[in-house]
Amino acid sequence: MIRVLVVEDDQVAAEAHRTYVERVAGFTVAAVVHSGAEALRFFERDTADLVLLDFYLPDTHGLAVCRAMRAAGNLVDVIAVTSARDLAVVKAAVSAGIVQYLIKPFTFASLRDKLEQYAKFRESFGEAGEVLGQSEVDRAFAALRSPVAQALPKGMSGQTLDAVVTALRAEPDGLSAGAAATATGVSRVTARRYLEYLADNGLARREPRYGQVGRPEVWYRAQT
């Protein structure tokens, strides 16, 4: 079993990540911690094969945690699980030796794919010895890359989905379909379709809002 340490400050998201990991064959959760300091203390007394590392922790940045582990001689593999989209942060993650980068919000299928790719990467190498040649190295690193992006339902585009997600995350109180349409420049029907897709995949939650009369309007709030 591949032992995973989940580092995530949000309690709900942390439990979701725990559940996701436990659903993937060959993986088990060693522990769930909610700060960088807790993550470092964990490795003083225990071990893990892989860390799912949020970057925006209450006491420090996830990259600082990664660098501290490396400075202590800990070469545990790390998958970044974060909302950080800044190119400089992505480049820094590569420099810190992070093997995968998963942007929030994401579906179970997205995390499952990353974990399965990581498992194939581990299987490509033995515990010791030498590689047979360049082709073996190339195959191992290729296992970490997704050959095809996860397919969206027919008629949906990644660009529009990103726009809706950005608008939703910019409004902590949530958005209605109409407000999302205004923010993204698509029709209300289109906005609702994307919002429903996010809700169905656990990336947003539905909240009824009651007005003066009639049926409540459904609003959508981004899941952290």
Side-chain angles (χ1 to χ4, degrees):
M1 298 291 284
I2 297 174
R3 287 167 51 82
V4 181
L5 173 66
V6 175
V7 186
E8 167 63 58
D9 69 311
D10 183 272
Q11 299 278 348
V12 175
E15 287 306 311
H17 297 172
R18 179 205 290 272
T19 301
Y20 284 175
V21 170
E22 296 284 7
R23 288 171 61 186
V24 182
F27 289 83
T28 187
V29 173
V32 176
V33 299
H34 306 292
S35 70
E38 287 182 86
L40 296 176
R41 285 197 297 270
F42 169 85
F43 283 110
E44 292 175 359
R45 65 181 188 275
D46 208 339
T47 61
D49 303 301
L50 178 66
V51 179
L52 292 188
L53 181 62
D54 184 25
F55 277 3
Y56 298 130
L57 299 169
D59 57 343
T60 187
H61 195 281
L63 283 173
V65 176
C66 189
R67 292 178 183 128
M69 291 190 299
R70 300 298 184 241
N74 189 340
L75 301 181
V76 62
D77 292 321
V78 178
I79 295 179
V81 179
T82 176
S83 58
R85 296 168 179 258
D86 188 275
L87 184 57
V89 174
V90 177
K91 289 180 177 179
V94 174
S95 299
I98 290 174
V99 297
Q100 296 274 25
Y101 198 103
L102 185 58
I103 295 177
K104 297 177 180 179
F106 56 86
T107 63
F108 164 68
S110 297
L111 179 58
R112 180 195 61 208
D113 289 347
K114 295 294 185 188
L115 294 177
E116 290 178 346
Q117 289 160 15
Y118 172 73
K120 290 178 181 178
F121 170 74
R122 282 175 58 92
E123 291 170 3
S124 299
F125 293 126
E127 292 299 322
E130 295 183 354
V131 296
L132 298 177
Q134 184 63 47
S135 60
E136 185 177 358
V137 175
D138 291 342
R139 283 195 299 272
F141 279 91
L144 291 171
R145 297 192 293 270
S146 300
V148 180
Q150 185 180 352
L152 291 171
K154 184 177 180 181
M156 296 182 70
S157 76
Q159 184 177 3
T160 302
L161 182 63
D162 285 345
V164 173
V165 169
T166 299
L168 197 61
R169 293 182 67 85
E171 296 294 338
D173 292 331
L175 287 174
S176 65
T182 300
T184 58
V186 301
S187 71
R188 182 173 182 147
V189 171
T190 297
R192 180 179 291 108
R193 183 185 182 197
Y194 282 85
L195 291 167
E196 284 294 313
Y197 171 81
L198 292 172
D200 288 343
N201 284 277
L203 307 179
R205 63 178 183 270
R206 302 176 182 88
E207 297 180 349
R209 299 284 177 92
Y210 293 88
Q212 297 294 329
V213 294
R215 298 172 60 186
E217 183 178 21
V218 177
W219 280 55
Y220 302 83
R221 188 193 300 265
Q223 293 278 37
T224 55

